[in-house]
Amino acid sequence: MSAENSSTPTSITLPWASDFHCHLRQGAMMETVTPMVEQGGVHTVLAMPNLTPPLTTTQMAVDYGKELQKLAPNVHFILTLYLNPALTPAEIAKAAAAGITAVKVYPSGVTTNSDWGVLDFKIYYPTFQAMQEANMVLCLHGECPSDAAKGICILNAEERFLATLRELHQAFPKLRIVLEHATTQAAVECVKSLGDTVGCTITAHHLFIIIDDWAGHPHHFCKPVAKFPHDRDALREVVKSGHPRFFLGSDSAPHPRSSKQGEKPAAGVFTTPILIPLMATLFDKMECLDKLEGFISTYGRQFYGLPEPIDGTITLVRLPLGVPAAYAISGSASDGETVVPFMASTEIGWSISKAE
């Protein structure tokens, strides 16, 4: 990172950022949000596979990658597969040969398009063994399905899942595992206690909001939900410390306004077009701008085994950025729909002045 003044910088120049968890959807929504990846300061993005139908085969993922590349030719898309019974060790070998990096695990029913998700992890142990041998990454949506009889609800579903994370790490110590979008102090402490093959993504919005901010506010509602003040404090402290196994995964998850403001709001917060200015604003507030580059670029790339970025830089300046009230969804099939971003109709403290 270079800064105009290291104590109170008014501008910083960084490598293009990497987002290791992003939902780019399909159809008109995909056509709208994918070009916004670069607008938000990102040139590497790990694209989630929970489409309809989900990306369950190598060919489906490769075809999806080609669609994304046409929409954002300057962006490096890391492709993923959706864990399902047809994802055999043979398919893992095929996926690895095709350059697919990761497999995403969705416990059944915990979030958007997770109806095809996992009920029993042990039946996938041969697949995990094949992934370990192929040096692929296992990305975990770390929540147990809600079950009132077992005392599990959206507020403790992540913490109850951590025993599964420990079991998987013990069974496959050389398999790189990412606990996605951590929201709790318990998750932070768990990941820190495990080996170097276990990493963790943290979203922008979970570094800002707590339970009070999404209760009654559908555009802040996501899965996993934001938790308590002490949980947010733990997330902030671990990124402020510069821990190398915690890195940016935005979990930016756009939905049409009608889906977010309906009778049962869809889960997802949309941060893609403002992502890195948003991060700079927060890290400035936390007085740790010197840790920003590690969190948004270096640490995640090191965990995924990617080289240092050589595709240029972005310069952020301490100038207000107005966040639109909404973005129009492109395409004739969108029927005038919009998607509402995080921090809609407000200003954030930093903006991108130059990209090279």
Side-chain angles (χ1 to χ4, degrees):
M1 177 184 78
S2 63
E4 184 179 280
N5 183 312
S6 59
S7 57
T8 56
T10 57
S11 69
I12 51 177
T13 298
L14 303 167
W16 283 94
S18 301
D19 179 359
F20 287 95
H21 185 131
C22 188
H23 297 270
L24 297 170
R25 306 306 194 204
Q26 55 205 123
M29 185 66 85
M30 176 185 70
E31 294 169 7
T32 300
V33 304
T34 304
M36 294 180 182
V37 169
E38 191 168 10
Q39 177 184 335
V42 171
H43 258 190
T44 298
V45 63
L46 187 139
M48 288 291 109
N50 58 330
L51 308 182
T52 305
L55 303 179
T56 55
T57 69
T58 299
Q59 191 59 54
M60 291 173 74
V62 169
D63 290 344
Y64 184 55
K66 291 177 181 177
E67 288 187 79
L68 297 175
Q69 205 70 68
K70 289 178 182 177
L71 294 167
N74 294 328
V75 176
H76 172 215
F77 293 99
I78 302 172
L79 301 177
T80 62
L81 289 175
Y82 189 115
L83 186 66
N84 71 97
L87 197 54
T88 61
E91 187 67 22
I92 289 295
K94 184 178 178 182
I100 294 171
T101 300
V103 172
K104 180 67 185 293
V105 175
Y106 296 90
S108 183
V110 297
T111 191
T112 303
N113 295 343
S114 63
D115 295 341
W116 300 271
V118 175
L119 293 171
D120 179 6
F121 279 84
K122 284 189 168 57
I123 66 171
Y124 292 103
Y125 273 25
T127 299
F128 298 155
Q129 179 63 37
M131 289 179 62
Q132 183 171 253
E133 293 170 0
N135 198 30
M136 292 181 73
V137 179
L138 181 65
C139 301
L140 297 176
H141 182 117
E143 291 187 290
C144 293
S146 293
D147 187 330
K150 296 178 180 178
I152 302 173
C153 67
I154 59 173
L155 290 179
N156 65 5
E158 180 175 280
E159 190 165 356
R160 294 287 287 270
F161 182 85
L162 297 176
T164 299
L165 171 60
R166 294 187 185 96
E167 289 173 8
L168 289 171
H169 179 50
Q170 183 176 14
F172 304 98
K174 295 181 180 179
L175 175 63
R176 286 178 293 163
I177 300 173
V178 177
L179 179 66
E180 300 288 349
H181 41 53
T183 63
T184 60
Q185 181 181 26
V188 169
E189 294 305 318
C190 178
V191 171
K192 288 167 65 176
S193 74
L194 299 176
D196 289 343
T197 54
V198 179
C200 181
T201 58
I202 297 177
T203 77
H205 53 279
H206 285 127
L207 288 165
F208 278 88
I209 64 175
I210 59 173
I211 186 171
D212 289 11
D213 297 306
W214 61 260
H217 192 317
H219 294 290
H220 289 172
F221 173 65
C222 58
K223 292 285 191 74
V225 298
K227 305 299 194 304
F228 300 98
H230 72 270
D231 294 307
R232 183 182 61 182
D233 290 346
L235 299 180
R236 289 181 171 183
E237 283 303 314
V238 78
V239 301
K240 189 173 181 178
S241 75
H243 195 296
R245 289 190 285 117
F246 291 80
F247 45 89
L248 176 63
S250 71
D251 193 23
S252 181
H255 292 279
R257 182 194 291 268
S258 60
S259 297
K260 291 294 290 180
Q261 296 179 187
E263 185 175 321
K264 186 176 181 180
V269 173
F270 179 50
T271 55
T272 294
I274 60 167
L275 184 58
I276 301 309
L278 189 63
M279 289 285 81
T281 300
L282 178 67
F283 277 60
D284 187 20
K285 178 181 178 181
M286 296 194 302
E287 300 182 341
C288 62
L289 279 170
D290 59 313
K291 298 297 194 297
L292 180 60
E293 182 176 340
F295 182 69
I296 67 170
S297 179
T298 309
Y299 303 149
R301 297 183 75 88
Q302 288 175 344
F303 189 87
Y304 272 84
L306 299 178
E308 292 185 9
I310 57 172
D311 55 349
T313 59
I314 55 173
T315 297
L316 293 134
V317 292
R318 194 196 297 270
L319 288 175
L321 173 65
V323 182
Y327 295 90
I329 300 174
S330 62
S332 58
S334 64
D335 196 27
E337 276 277 23
T338 61
V339 55
V340 177
F342 188 57
M343 299 284 193
S345 300
T346 66
E347 285 188 344
I348 57 179
W350 287 73
S351 56
I352 297 174
S353 71
K354 185 170 63 174
E356 296 178 334

